[in-house]
Amino acid sequence: MAKTPAAPAPKDAPADSDDTVSGKGRPTPSRAEQEAARKRPLVPDTKEAKARARAELSVQREKARVGMAAGDERYLPVRDKGPQRRFVRDYVDAGWHLGELILPAMVLVLLAMVVNNSTVQFFSYIALWAFVALAVIDMVVLSARIKRAARRKFGADRIEKGLGWYGAMRSIQMRFMRLPKAQVKRGQYPS
């Protein structure tokens, strides 16, 4: 019997089936290499991490400060959120209030106390108390007006609690010191 010669192997097929790569295709790392890869310092490099965290926190705080000053709802504290609170802020910011002048009046009384005249000191002190009483009366009237305007706008059954107090407390702050900043001009009452 004559043997037929074997056909040549195709060029793409591997010449030897024993040489094929099986498994992961790379040598197993030694134990020392594995331990070195797992090693981390007990205390991470805190200088870089703290500096990076401080910079990120600073950016976030600045963004929140600008957002709060602009009246962006995402950055407002809970006491300032909502359409009713925005309405009250706009209502208060649109008017003139005696409470805004309490701080300057107190400074004037302190300056009057420096004067070495007991009559001036006495009357400046009395004038300050009279002014504070007028400011409190203005706050009470403003609170009632805010509640009435809010009832007209939002309905009597849907009014949040504390709108009058919120407006009264905002009215005793000087306009440029209020947060969120005033979004309306004086005389521009919300409808």
Side-chain angles (χ1 to χ4, degrees):
M1 254 193 159
K3 286 189 173 181
T4 58
K11 291 185 182 183
D12 347 340
D16 221 354
S17 63
D18 293 337
D19 290 345
T20 61
V21 177
S22 64
K24 62 185 176 252
R26 59 182 168 75
T28 302
S30 68
R31 173 180 243 161
E33 290 171 344
Q34 288 178 346
E35 287 176 354
R38 280 196 310 258
K39 279 188 181 174
R40 282 183 236 128
L42 289 176
V43 179
D45 186 14
T46 56
K47 283 185 181 178
E48 291 176 11
K50 282 183 181 177
R52 190 172 36 252
R54 201 175 305 119
E56 289 173 6
L57 187 61
S58 174
V59 167
Q60 289 174 350
R61 281 185 180 160
E62 180 62 20
K63 189 176 176 184
R65 186 190 67 76
V66 169
M68 182 177 168
D72 188 353
E73 287 283 327
R74 295 175 293 176
Y75 299 107
L76 292 177
V78 176
R79 73 181 169 109
D80 293 325
K81 285 187 178 180
Q84 292 183 19
R85 299 293 170 138
R86 178 177 296 276
F87 173 79
V88 171
R89 284 195 303 271
D90 291 346
Y91 194 91
V92 171
D93 294 341
W96 290 91
H97 308 285
L98 289 176
E100 295 178 51
L101 302 173
I102 285 180
L103 191 60
M106 287 182 176
V107 170
L108 290 175
V109 169
L110 285 175
L111 291 176
M113 292 296 162
V114 174
V115 175
N116 198 11
N117 186 343
S118 62
T119 307
V120 170
Q121 292 175 351
F122 175 75
F123 283 113
S124 64
Y125 193 66
I126 295 300
L128 176 66
W129 277 109
F131 186 75
V132 168
L134 289 173
V136 168
I137 292 169
D138 182 45
M139 290 169 57
V140 170
V141 170
L142 175 68
S143 176
R145 287 177 32 213
I146 286 172
K147 289 176 186 177
R148 187 172 43 246
R151 271 191 229 104
R152 271 195 313 262
K153 180 168 176 119
F154 299 104
D157 56 333
R158 295 185 7 200
I159 294 297
E160 293 177 9
K161 286 187 133 193
L163 290 181
W165 178 257
Y166 179 72
M169 289 298 104
R170 187 168 175 90
S171 74
I172 62 171
Q173 297 172 349
M174 295 173 83
R175 185 177 169 95
F176 69 91
M177 296 175 74
R178 294 176 184 162
L179 276 179
K181 298 283 185 197
Q183 304 293 316
V184 296
K185 293 184 174 157
R186 297 223 193 240
Q188 201 176 17
Y189 286 93
S191 55

